[in-house]
């Protein structure tokens, strides 16, 4: 009976999130607390669960502060205008460069913030060129999802996988970044064949967009210099963490707080920039996953994967990637990563003497990040981009998003299957 009630709570929470009937943070926190009151998860287990995820939460807080201060300088918008001038108003070349900037930024910054800043600029530039903004926005959204796969800090999904698998920043760079490059190529080639016929711009319009001024966009040059230096130091710290052993959370928080201090920013305003609703969403989610684990659901799915694979390591690896991509498209990549991380831990003992079981984590990373492009609710980046685009006059509905995103996602998941096979299996 408790199993049925627990599953109903879990499904109900995600129905509320998908339907937007209840704010996501309220849904996960109420679900987590309901499980606690029912005795599915104890207070001690809740505190232990939060404690084990503190590095993720503190790392996110540090990066949110840093990115918030960087965004105040106007550097993202400045760069977008510079890019359009470099390509002299050629639409597809513009789309490619904007997407590469988005992917690169998403690999080292918060991808939600990146798309929040880049999408309105892209829509503005597309409208200036009298083009449909849809392919520009969608390509950037998918580039952000893909770019987030490249590093440990690119996406909350990666932070969860890194924490659960005890994986370093450099391990992600060596294992998922190459697939990120492949996926970006697939994305841009696909967009070329789908939309190149619609990207025709007159010479008059190209001349007009070349007149856009970028110099006035930079609001605070001193803060910009400080931000760039601190951000570079943070990234260097992440890369060298295996040697300096200070911890990603400490490095991230140190950078964010020190930048706020030397920039002489109001402390209250700085901490208001932290997305506390996102952090509490994660806390509620982690507690619910613990509840599902206590009910035996995760062990059951893990056993099924082993059963389906009949002890075959290759089949088990591909099952993790493809099943996680499907779950991601329905539940979102964060929920999927948190759930499948537990599943992988139940599968690993079966294969630990057969092969390097770290491959399971790379399969989960690719399934979560690439599968996140299938639907509008596949990632927080998608949801933010759709909302931002609507405010800027480019409405994207669920079906329209899925028609575009699912094609690219399936292509990239096939490429990821090939990548995993030839590199690890």
């Amino acid at each position: 009976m408790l199993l049925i009630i627990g599953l109903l709570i879990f499904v109900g929470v995600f129905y509320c999130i998908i339907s937007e009937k209840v704010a996501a943070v309220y849904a996960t926190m109420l679900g987590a607390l309901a499980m606690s009151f029912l005795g599915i998860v104890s207070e001690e287990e809740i505190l232990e669960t939060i404690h084990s995820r503190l590095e993720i939460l503190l790392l996110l807080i540090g990066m949110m502060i840093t990115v918030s201060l960087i965004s105040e300088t106007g550097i993202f918008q400045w760069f977008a205008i510079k890019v359009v001038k470099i390509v002299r108003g050629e639409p597809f070349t513009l789309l490619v460069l904007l997407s590469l900037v988005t992917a690169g930024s998403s690999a080292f910054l918060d991808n939600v913030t990146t798309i929040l800043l880049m999408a309105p600029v892209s829509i503005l530039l597309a409208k200036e060129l009298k083009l449909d903004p849809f392919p520009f926005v969608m390509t950037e959204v998918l580039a952000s999802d893909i770019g987030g796969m490249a590093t440990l800090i690119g996406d909350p999904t990666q932070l969860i996988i890194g924490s659960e698998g005890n994986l370093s920043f450099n391990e992600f760079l060596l294992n998922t970044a190459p697939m990120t490059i492949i996926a970006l190529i697939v994305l841009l080639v696909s967009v070329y064949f789908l939309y190149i016929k619609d990207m025709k711009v007159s010479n008059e319009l190209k001349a007009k967009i070349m007149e856009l001024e970028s110099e006035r966009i930079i609001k605070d040059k001193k803060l910009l210099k400080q931000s760039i230096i601190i951000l570079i130091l943070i990234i260097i710290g992440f890369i060298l963490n295996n040697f300096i052993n200070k911890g990603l959370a400490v490095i991230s928080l140190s950078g964010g707080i020190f930048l706020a201090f030397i920039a002489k920013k109001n402390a209250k305003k700085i901490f208001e920039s932290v997305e506390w609703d996102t952090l509490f969403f994660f806390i509620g989610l982690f507690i619910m996953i613990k509840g599902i684990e206590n009910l035996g659901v995760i062990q059951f799915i893990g056993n099924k994967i082993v059963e389906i694979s009949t002890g075959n390591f290759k089949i088990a690896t591909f099952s993790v990637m493809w099943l996680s991509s499907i779950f991601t498209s329905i539940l979102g990549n964060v929920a999927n990563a948190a759930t499948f991380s537990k599943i992988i831990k139940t599968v690993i003992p079966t294969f630990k003497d057969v092969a390097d079981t770290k491959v399971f984590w790379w399969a989960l990373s690719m399934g979560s990040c690439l599968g996140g492009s299938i639907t509008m609710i596949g990632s927080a980046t998608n949801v933010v981009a759709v909302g931002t685009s609507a405010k800027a006059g480019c409405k994207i509905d669920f079906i329209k998003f899925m028609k575009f995103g699912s094609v690219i996602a399936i292509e990239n998941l096939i490429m990821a299957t090939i990548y995993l096979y030839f590199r690890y299996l």
Side-chain angles (χ1 to χ4, degrees):
M1 185 65 180
L2 201 59
L3 172 62
I4 296 173
I5 295 173
L7 286 174
L8 285 174
I9 291 172
F10 194 80
V11 172
V13 165
F14 285 101
Y15 168 75
C16 291
I17 294 172
I18 292 167
S19 63
E20 298 182 354
K21 292 183 180 295
V22 179
V25 60
Y26 286 144
T28 58
M29 287 301 297
L30 288 171
L33 294 171
M35 285 187 173
S36 176
F37 276 105
L38 288 169
I40 296 173
V41 57
S42 67
E43 183 181 28
E44 289 75 15
E45 288 174 322
I46 289 174
L47 295 175
E48 183 182 343
T49 298
I50 296 172
H51 175 264
S52 66
R53 302 293 192 286
L54 269 180
E55 183 177 35
I56 295 175
L57 299 172
L58 294 175
L59 189 154
L60 281 173
I61 290 172
M63 290 308 295
M64 285 174 181
I65 292 171
T66 303
V67 171
S68 172
L69 288 167
I70 292 174
S71 67
E72 287 185 19
T73 67
I75 186 64
F76 290 98
Q77 293 89 336
W78 174 88
F79 198 82
I81 293 173
K82 283 293 184 183
V83 165
V84 77
K85 288 189 174 184
I86 289 171
V87 302
R88 305 190 68 81
E90 289 294 336
F92 185 73
T93 310
L94 171 63
L95 181 147
V96 169
L97 288 182
L98 287 174
S99 298
L100 292 177
V101 170
T102 302
S105 299
S106 295
F108 295 102
L109 304 177
D110 174 59
N111 54 4
V112 171
T113 304
T114 300
I115 203 66
L116 189 65
L117 294 167
M118 292 297 290
V121 176
S122 299
I123 293 171
L124 169 66
L125 295 175
K127 287 183 174 180
E128 287 288 336
L129 292 171
K130 307 295 182 186
L131 295 171
D132 181 5
F134 176 76
F136 285 83
V137 175
M138 284 299 299
T139 305
E140 283 191 14
V141 173
L142 270 59
S144 183
D145 288 336
I146 292 167
M149 182 174 68
T151 68
L152 172 64
I153 60 169
D155 190 284
T157 298
Q158 302 292 78
L159 290 171
I160 293 169
I161 294 170
S163 175
E164 293 290 346
N166 194 28
L167 305 167
S168 70
F169 187 90
N170 290 350
E171 283 181 297
F172 274 93
L173 274 180
L174 291 173
N175 292 279
T176 58
M179 185 57 223
T180 297
I181 295 170
I182 295 169
L184 278 172
I185 293 170
V186 170
L187 168 64
L188 295 172
V189 169
S190 299
V191 172
Y192 176 84
F193 285 109
L194 287 170
Y195 290 101
I196 189 62
K197 63 181 182 297
D198 300 322
M199 294 191 178
K200 307 294 182 186
V201 176
S202 67
N203 290 329
E204 291 79 9
L205 282 174
K206 289 179 183 178
K208 182 180 178 182
I209 205 166
M210 290 296 289
E211 294 174 2
L212 289 173
E213 294 185 17
S214 60
E215 302 308 323
R216 297 179 184 177
I217 297 293
I218 301 296
K219 303 170 185 175
D220 190 333
K221 291 185 179 180
K222 182 180 178 181
L223 177 59
L224 176 60
K225 292 177 182 177
Q226 293 169 335
S227 300
I228 291 173
I229 292 170
I230 295 297
L231 181 61
I232 290 172
L233 290 174
I234 290 172
I235 294 171
I236 291 172
F238 287 156
I239 295 172
L240 298 179
N241 184 54
N242 286 348
F243 302 100
I244 61 178
N245 196 31
K246 294 299 179 185
L248 299 180
V250 170
I251 294 168
S252 175
L253 273 176
S254 298
I257 298 298
F258 185 68
L259 177 58
F261 174 74
I262 62 173
K264 299 179 181 179
K265 296 293 181 178
N266 181 278
K268 184 178 180 181
K269 288 184 178 179
I270 285 297
F271 285 102
E272 283 176 353
S273 69
V274 175
E275 297 167 29
W276 296 105
D277 55 337
T278 300
L279 298 175
F280 276 94
F281 168 81
F282 287 144
I283 290 171
L285 178 66
F286 294 145
I287 294 169
M288 283 184 20
I289 297 300
K290 180 63 178 176
I292 291 297
E293 181 184 8
N294 287 351
L295 292 170
V297 175
I298 290 172
Q299 183 69 47
F300 174 80
I301 297 174
N303 290 339
K304 282 297 178 183
I305 290 177
V306 173
E307 185 181 318
I308 292 169
S309 67
T310 60
N312 188 304
F313 183 67
K314 294 178 184 177
I315 295 175
T317 301
F318 296 142
S319 295
V320 167
M321 188 186 75
W322 282 94
L323 286 174
S324 66
S325 70
I326 294 169
F327 273 71
T328 291
S329 68
I330 300 169
L331 302 178
N333 58 5
V334 172
N336 170 75
T339 304
F340 259 81
S341 292
K342 299 294 184 182
I343 293 171
I344 286 175
K345 287 187 174 181
T346 70
V347 175
I348 283 176
T350 304
F351 299 100
K352 66 180 180 180
D353 298 324
V354 177
D356 182 4
T357 54
K358 281 187 178 180
V359 178
F360 286 133
W361 299 111
W362 311 135
L364 175 58
S365 171
M366 293 171 197
S368 296
C369 292
L370 299 177
S373 300
I374 296 174
T375 65
M376 187 189 296
I377 58 172
S379 75
T381 307
N382 302 355
V383 176
V384 170
V386 169
T388 304
S389 300
K391 290 178 183 176
C394 176
K395 184 172 174 55
I396 304 172
D397 61 34
F398 190 93
I399 300 300
K400 193 174 183 181
F401 189 105
M402 187 171 168
K403 283 181 178 178
F404 183 102
S406 59
V407 171
I408 307 299
I410 291 170
E411 289 174 347
N412 275 326
L413 286 165
I414 291 171
M415 293 303 296
T417 302
I418 296 170
Y419 173 82
L420 287 171
Y421 179 80
F422 282 103
R423 179 161 183 184
Y424 304 106
L425 307 175

